[in-house]
Amino acid sequence: MNDADTGIDLDERDRAVLNGFQGGFPTVERPFEPAARALRERGIEVSADELVERVRRLDDEGTLSRFGALIDAEAIGGTATLVAMHADEAEFDAVADQVNAHREVAHNYEREHPYLNMWFVVSVADEDEVERVLAGIEDETGEETYNLPKEREFRVEAKFLLDGPISDGDLDLSDLGPDVEPSSRGSLTPAERDLVVELQGGLPITATPYRDVADALGADVEWVVSTVKRFVLEGKVRRVGVVPNHYALGYTENGMTVWNVPDDLVAEVGPAIAELDFVTHCYQRPRHEGVWPYNFFAMTHGRSEAESQRRVEQVRERMTEFFDVDEDDWDTLFSTRILKKTGIRMAERAAANTDDATAER
């Protein structure tokens, strides 16, 4: 099936895999067996071996960004913050190069805004390093930076569903696996740090991915499986499954909607906006007086400009249930160019939060 929502050839089983396993993949030594069984129970005939080959093909073709554990970097250690700045059109690319040269800058996007047209994420192992990085960028570019750290999180669930089987994305097998108890420890052991580093690029797409990880670490597979399962319960891993390349699936419209929500209403507005299934990220962030009046961010994705505009309008309609929304109370910043996208430096953040490192501090 090749249709308007993807522009690529995906048959019914491809779509079932993409919809069904964006989260909640089994945490057992041979996870593709119960995963295939669950698909067959939904009317999708596929064997475990066929499922492995199908996920591998989707990954090889670029339909997936990866397969594996989606790690919550903040829960692992360190911090990340969103930063906005202005760059003159004539010097924009040169300024972008200066910003991107900082290894702490993980993502950088050009966005549609009359002034704040460059938006990037700074990821560091030590929160105190943010100020140093931003001071360096300001000195080099001559532009002021506006730090917008997350103050409250209401939703982070970037699922990109397609027309086809399991279109609600409700196939959750995360309960499968060993019985484990969450730990109250905030830091990592050296073995857990090594596991995080091994997991960050994805799981091997084989019949026994956790055993392959264990072999790479020289660890017992039972420990790997139980630790990943515990990480899910603790929030260090948001979910295990396929991670789609949303651009490949046709979700090319990336709209960051921003809102000036009365401070006393944020706690009510946040969960209501987070309920909208097309909102993938939803946060409270600080305002910057005279430059940035918005304190609430809701990220939407669409497969066309029209679909994206409809979704933005749905966010606005939900907002009006809580307060009178004037035109000056909101905006949508669409991304026009990816300037840098290297991912979070998980190894450094995990290392800084490992027992031996924290003991030294």
Side-chain angles (χ1 to χ4, degrees):
M1 185 188 304
N2 183 326
D3 60 21
D5 66 357
T6 66
I8 56 176
D9 289 317
L10 297 170
D11 64 22
E12 183 181 53
R13 284 179 287 181
D14 289 333
R15 288 164 179 266
V17 170
L18 289 165
N19 285 341
F21 293 126
Q22 289 188 43
F25 209 73
T27 314
V28 297
E29 185 174 347
R30 303 183 70 89
F32 286 92
E33 292 179 358
R37 190 181 313 120
L39 287 177
R40 291 195 296 272
E41 291 172 356
R42 293 290 190 97
I44 306 299
E45 290 300 321
V46 64
S47 69
D49 289 343
E50 290 169 337
L51 183 55
V52 172
E53 290 303 318
R54 191 168 289 268
V55 172
R56 185 181 295 130
R57 175 177 55 77
L58 291 170
D59 185 63
D60 289 342
E61 293 174 349
T63 306
L64 300 183
S65 295
R66 68 181 187 279
F67 163 73
L70 188 61
I71 297 172
D72 185 337
E74 184 176 354
I76 292 300
T79 192
T81 188
L82 179 65
V83 182
M85 67 180 289
H86 167 76
D88 289 336
E89 183 177 351
E91 301 174 353
F92 189 92
D93 289 345
V95 171
D97 287 342
Q98 290 175 306
V99 172
N100 292 345
H102 288 262
R103 57 194 300 274
E104 297 88 353
V105 173
H107 306 151
N108 192 1
Y109 289 84
E110 181 180 10
R111 290 190 178 276
E112 295 175 342
H113 188 267
Y115 185 67
L116 297 178
N117 53 0
M118 188 178 298
W119 292 75
F120 55 93
V121 171
V122 171
S123 171
V124 291
D126 186 339
E127 186 174 355
D128 294 339
E129 286 291 285
V130 171
E131 186 175 343
R132 177 190 63 78
V133 173
L134 297 187
I137 289 173
E138 290 183 349
D139 286 345
E140 293 165 13
T141 64
E143 298 288 351
E144 187 170 355
T145 60
Y146 299 91
N147 190 12
L148 297 161
K150 177 177 61 178
E151 297 181 333
R152 202 172 341 182
E153 176 183 302
F154 296 102
R155 179 187 176 113
V156 179
E157 188 176 7
K159 288 189 175 182
F160 300 95
L161 302 176
L162 302 172
D163 297 333
I166 320 177
S167 57
D168 291 332
D170 59 346
L171 190 58
D172 187 356
L173 305 179
S174 58
D175 60 321
L176 299 181
D179 291 329
V180 295
E181 293 292 330
S183 167
S184 59
R185 247 184 336 102
S187 60
L188 303 169
T189 67
E192 289 171 344
R193 173 203 58 209
D194 294 344
L195 176 60
V196 167
V197 173
E198 188 69 25
L199 291 175
Q200 69 171 333
L203 286 168
I205 306 175
T206 67
T208 57
Y210 297 109
R211 178 169 290 282
D212 295 342
V213 169
D215 290 346
L217 295 173
D220 293 331
V221 66
E222 293 81 5
W223 177 81
V224 169
V225 170
S226 62
T227 304
V228 172
K229 180 76 178 294
R230 176 168 57 81
F231 279 179
V232 173
L233 293 179
E234 294 170 354
K236 292 182 174 69
V237 169
R238 292 188 183 275
R239 58 185 181 272
V240 179
V242 299
V243 181
N245 175 352
H246 61 277
Y247 292 103
L249 296 188
Y251 285 89
T252 56
E253 296 293 318
N254 171 342
M256 186 174 74
T257 72
V258 292
W259 308 82
N260 184 11
V261 177
D263 291 335
D264 60 344
L265 294 179
V266 171
E268 295 179 62
V269 170
I273 300 302
E275 287 178 355
L276 299 170
D277 59 7
F278 54 82
V279 171
T280 60
H281 299 74
C282 189
Y283 304 111
Q284 180 182 2
R285 298 186 185 275
R287 302 178 179 92
H288 283 270
E289 187 175 355
V291 178
W292 186 254
Y294 311 110
N295 63 336
F296 190 90
F297 288 61
M299 184 69 72
T300 67
H301 294 266
R303 290 169 289 187
S304 68
E305 184 176 346
E307 181 180 62
S308 192
Q309 293 290 356
R310 285 195 302 271
R311 291 179 169 182
V312 171
E313 179 61 22
Q314 285 178 264
V315 176
R316 192 194 68 80
E317 289 173 358
R318 182 64 61 89
M319 285 284 183
T320 62
E321 297 175 12
F322 295 90
F323 67 103
D324 293 330
V325 181
D326 293 330
E327 285 302 308
D328 292 339
D329 287 334
W330 69 287
D331 199 355
T332 303
L333 282 67
F334 287 98
S335 63
T336 55
R337 201 167 19 142
I338 300 174
L339 305 172
K340 183 179 183 181
K341 193 169 185 179
T342 59
I344 302 297
R345 298 187 344 269
M346 199 70 68
E348 292 181 22
R349 290 177 60 167
N353 192 38
T354 301
D355 287 340
D356 47 9
T358 55
E360 289 177 9
R361 290 204 300 272

